[in-house]
Amino acid sequence: AVGAMSTIDLTYAMLNFLDDVNNNRSYAPDVINLSVGVDDPAWCTATTSLTTVIHQLTLKGVPVVAASGNDGTTSGKKNQMAYPACLSEVISVGATEFLRNPGPTISGEQVADFSQSASTLDIVAPGKALYMTAPNPSGTSILLANGTSFSAPIVTGSIAVIKEFLADKGFNNYTVEDIRNLLVANGNIV
């Protein structure tokens, strides 16, 4: 598939990120977004190289954010998350949709029907009926898109802003769990 990445490719990329962090390179990531997933529960408990690298990155203070998956309408999958969002070290992100009144007004949010949202899901962000641009042969099109892969980068960006704010205030001794708790404590309940 176009844009597909194997877990081997992803593990290699994450190993490079870990090397950048370990060597304190100026371009080392402050937060990592993974809008990818393997929809097989066995991966959530398996010992894989990718799981090991994610664990090492979080121990180094680099939050790893992952999309929870889009198979929530599939029988039995609503209450499980895709790998790597199912890992305890990962900040897992599901999708919300806006509830609309008749006309242009919004009356609230709810978890999107397709969003996988197990009890261990950390946070949700907008992920249904989002406008995006896409190339086409005659230029650029504006499309409506759905998916937790759109929700995760919103949270990833929020974490980048939080980390920048904390650094500006002289706070550098925090963990990934501290960041997760800050997000959860300050989010709206949906």
Side-chain angles (χ1 to χ4, degrees):
V2 175
M5 175 183 263
S6 73
T7 55
I8 293 169
D9 294 335
L10 182 57
T11 301
Y12 181 74
M14 297 290 279
L15 280 167
N16 283 328
F17 290 152
L18 181 60
D19 184 61
D20 295 339
V21 170
N22 285 337
N23 289 297
N24 205 23
R25 294 188 179 110
S26 62
Y27 51 83
D30 290 318
V31 59
I32 296 171
N33 181 75
L34 296 176
S35 287
V36 298
V38 176
D39 206 14
D40 179 350
W43 280 74
C44 297
T45 56
T47 303
T48 68
S49 297
L50 181 56
T51 299
T52 301
V53 174
I54 288 170
H55 178 72
Q56 291 173 351
L57 282 161
T58 58
L59 287 175
K60 294 282 187 177
V62 179
V64 177
V65 179
S68 68
N70 300 321
D71 287 334
T73 56
T74 303
S75 178
K77 293 193 175 182
K78 182 69 173 177
N79 294 317
Q80 70 183 39
M81 286 188 288
Y83 171 88
C86 60
L87 300 175
S88 61
E89 297 97 334
V90 170
I91 297 174
S92 55
V93 184
T96 60
E97 62 181 305
F98 294 110
L99 301 174
R100 298 196 183 275
N101 295 323
T105 60
I106 295 173
S107 62
E109 282 182 278
Q110 69 182 15
V111 175
D113 58 348
F114 60 82
S115 181
Q116 289 171 248
S117 52
S119 62
T120 55
L121 182 71
D122 291 308
I123 195 164
V124 290
K128 187 167 184 177
L130 301 177
Y131 289 101
M132 63 173 276
T133 59
N136 70 40
S138 61
T140 302
S141 297
I142 296 177
L143 308 171
L144 279 176
N146 301 323
T148 57
S149 288
F150 296 101
S151 308
I154 294 170
V155 173
T156 302
S158 298
I159 291 171
V161 170
I162 289 168
K163 288 186 80 170
E164 184 71 22
F165 174 81
L166 291 173
D168 286 350
K169 298 296 182 189
F171 298 108
N172 294 308
N173 262 355
Y174 52 83
T175 65
V176 171
E177 192 62 26
D178 294 334
I179 296 287
R180 179 195 326 266
N181 292 338
L182 188 61
L183 285 170
V184 172
N186 291 287
N188 295 328
I189 295 176
V190 176

